[in-house]
Structures are given as C-alpha cells and as structure tokens.
Amino acid sequence: MNSPTGTRDPDQTRERILDAAYKLFVDKGFAAVSMRDLAEESGVTKSLIHHHFGSKEALWELVKERAIEAYAKGQVAELEAAEEPGPQLLHDSIERYFRFLQEHPEVARLFAWTHLDADQSCGKLDAELVRLGAERIRQAQGRGLLRADVNPANVVTLFVGCCTHWFQARAHHAHWPGVGDDEEFLDDFLKIVMGGLLPRDGKEGS
Amino acid sequence: MNSPTGTRDPDQTRERILDAAYKLFVDKGFAAVSMRDLAEESGVTKSLIHHHFGSKEALWELVKERAIEAYAKGQVAELEAAEEPGPQLLHDSIERYFRFLQEHPEVARLFAWTHLDADQSCGKLDAELVRLGAERIRQAQGRGLLRADVNPANVVTLFVGCCTHWFQARAHHAHWPGVGDDEEFLDDFLKIVMGGLLPRDGKEGS
DNA sequence: GTATTAACTGGCCGACCGGTCAATAAGGGC
DNA sequence: GCCCTTATTGACCGGTCGGCCAGTTAATAC
C-alpha cells in the first residue's frame, strides 16, 4: 500500500511503521495496542510488521530506544555547546528541558511508560546526559558559583523529575485549585531552585 | 472458596477482590491484567467479580478511587493536626510526603497509571489536599516566614511532583551516575527548596 | 418449613490476540 | 532475458479475552 501503486520502499515502510508504533504506544501503552491497530495506523499488513521487526515486544523496544536516544543526543549537543558553568547555565538548562517537554509532551508520556515497564535499558541512554549536567554543576560549585553542599547528580535529578512530572500530571493539575499555567510554574520553579542553589551571602550552618 | 467451607461473606469477598485488583493493576497496569488473573489472585471465579463489580473498567475505577481517597484523607488529617504555618511545617510536610511514598511506593505507581489514563476523576480527590497545603504556605507568606513572590499552589505542585517522580523513576536512576539514595536525595532536595523559599536576608531584585 | 434473595459456580459465546506460513510480486544483479 | 532476494499479502492457527447465562447453594425473612 505504498504511495505509487506497485512500487516498494522498505525503508520508508519501516519508518511509517515506527511512526505509527510511536504514536499508538505512547498514547495507549504497549499492552493496549494490538498488532492490528499498528497495521491499520501504518497502512501495511500485520505480517509485514512481523517481517520487519520480528515481534510486538521487539518493535516496542526499538521505538523506545530510538526516541530516548534522539532526545538524549539532542540535549547533550545543546549542553556541550553551552556557555561557561554557573548559575546562568543551570537556569538555561532547566528552561531548555522545560521547553523541550512543552513542545514534545509525548516524550514525558514515553518516560512514564518506561518507568512503569521497569525498563532496564532506557535508563542507560540518558546516563551520559546526567553525567554531563552534573559535571557542569560540579565545576560551578568548585568556582563558588553554586552552593557546594549538595550532590550535583541530585540537582539534575531534581529538576528533570520536577519538569517531567509537571507535564505527566497535567490532567491532574487541571483540578488543583490555584495551580498556574506553564509560564507561571516555570517562573516559580526557577525562582525557588535558583534561590536555593545560589551561595548564601553570609555563611550559614544547618 | 471462603475460608470455612460453605460459608459466605460477601463483604470479605469484595475486599479480597479489591485487594487483588489493586495489587495486579498497580503492578501491571489495567490493560495487561485479565479477569482470569484477578479471579486467580483473589481466589474466586471470574463471574463473581462481574457479579460484584459489573465490569473490569468499573473495578479499576473503584480501585483507583478508593486508594486515592484513602491517601488524600490520611494526608489531610496529618496536615490539619500540624503545627503553625511556617518553614518548619513546610519542611515536615515535604518529608512526610516523601516518607509516605517511601513506605508505599505502589502509590507512586498508581499515580503514574492515573496520569497516563488521562483520568478525570482522580485529580479531584486530592484537590482538597492541595488547597489546604497551599493555604498553609500562603499564611506563612503573609507572616513573612516564606518568600511571597511565588504561587503557593505551585510550591505544593513542585514538591509533590519532585517526590513522586523520584519514586516513579527509581529504576531509571539506578543507571544514573552519582545519584544518591533516598536519604541523600531528600536532604539535598530539602536544602534547595527550603533555601529557595526562605526570605532573603537582604532585599534583592530579579 | 418454605419462599425469596443474593452469593457463587462452570460453561459457553463471539471477538480478538500475537504469530506463522505459503503464495505473490517487485527489484536488483548478471 | 533470467534468477535470487526480499518486500508484501491474506488466510489461518491455537489461545485468550471480557462478558453472559443458566443453574446451584447458602443466608434470610416470615
């Protein structure tokens, strides 16, 4: 069922199947999507999907891997091209991640599915991103630009988790009284986290 | 198949079914659990589950509703019995929520499922909890004990989201270099958030 | 004791599941 | 031209799905 009747383009076919699978799996979850759904959405036969990807599970693994790898590589590239370590870089990195999820909310859903899958492999793909982010924070700490008594990796985990959850729980928040929109939340979040990470003017205990 | 052969206790039976459904649904998700799984886990027949709850969907809705209502009521009770509004109350509330999820990690999973369900009703059940928490923060802000230029509801959303995501993404974090354990993360999180929410010693712009 | 109600069972239904397989057809190398 | 590879199809498999229904059995009301 490729566009010019009777012609074949296996690469494009694979792409179409992967796109359809990404859309349906992220939307409904692995268990709620059938091979027949995938076949219909991508405009090919069930058998052809098996031919190209082997099994439903294998397709799902590939979909996850591709999406997370693309995300991680993009973020790493932006982080490596960034300015000197310091509060501004942290601020920009948080906002960059927030904007990314804002434009690609389906990625937040994908993360949620992988967490519930107890997925082993997907956590490894963004490890490099976390390592790089933590390193930048550690450098800023070494220069006295960020408070030094917190674990840099925990800082990354904190802001990634907070932003991710914001988009995952959007439907929930709609029922919560007084919760603001994306912009207000990002503003407040940045105020609090940056305020908590800047070194205090005076020395402080506790 | 109740304990004393031949006797009946429909309330206990319903309870057993609900317990089994909670366990299986939270573990595998709605779509990946069959009525036959539920029947086996609870030790009754498939037909009996239909008799008591009507359908698989209705059972899932009831399971979600009960669990979230119990959680919300418990947290509201603790919050209402708490001390005066201020930094200490906020600190304790964050830690209380964190400890709750630490003891009941399945609740974090339940939240993830409800988010992916695009569940309409479950967000309403904890609205009262959010309203109450935000009100306490607003009171503390009014007394100058917490910085006043952030939306209290966003503060609640922030710490709830961060703690929830921490437990949802645990498997992921295992692959992230340098991320600490529960105690270290909670410590760092509290340092940052409390540090960011305390009024600055000197007035500051920006 | 008997009638009524509700808890509970086992068997059955049509639909759908993921996967396989033989057959067909198109493309590329020669 | 032919051949070999492979993309692609549709029919088919055994198994499982959620739900239904007729029948049995225990508690209850009178």
Side-chain angles (χ1 to χ4, degrees), chain A residues 6 8 33-36 46-47 50 56:
Chain A
R8 293 178 174 183
V33 174
S34 72
M35 293 296 285
R36 285 162 178 84
K46 200 162 53 79
S47 320
H50 275 104
K56 193 186 165 193

Side-chain angles (χ1 to χ4, degrees), chain B residues 34-123:
Chain B
S34 71
M35 294 296 284
R36 286 162 178 84
D37 293 335
L38 294 168
E40 188 178 1
E41 179 75 22
S42 50
V44 300
T45 27
K46 200 163 53 79
S47 319
L48 190 52
I49 304 179
H50 275 104
H51 173 69
H52 282 302
F53 300 98
S55 73
K56 193 186 165 193
E57 275 83 3
L59 177 57
W60 175 221
E61 292 301 320
L62 195 59
V63 163
K64 286 191 288 188
E65 201 176 301
R66 270 171 45 113
I68 294 185
E69 206 162 7
Y71 143 78
K73 279 193 178 171
Q75 295 274 313
V76 165
E78 291 203 61
L79 193 52
E80 279 178 338
E83 67 262 44
E84 287 293 294
Q88 191 60 44
L89 174 58
L90 178 60
H91 181 286
D92 292 349
S93 297
I94 295 175
E95 176 159 5
R96 183 187 309 126
Y97 183 67
F98 189 90
R99 298 294 176 200
F100 172 79
L101 290 183
Q102 197 175 33
E103 284 176 39
H104 306 282
E106 82 280 359
V107 173
R109 284 183 72 86
L110 176 66
F111 286 156
W113 291 118
T114 65
H115 295 154
L116 290 166
D117 271 6
D119 195 287
Q120 297 293 347
S121 61
C122 289

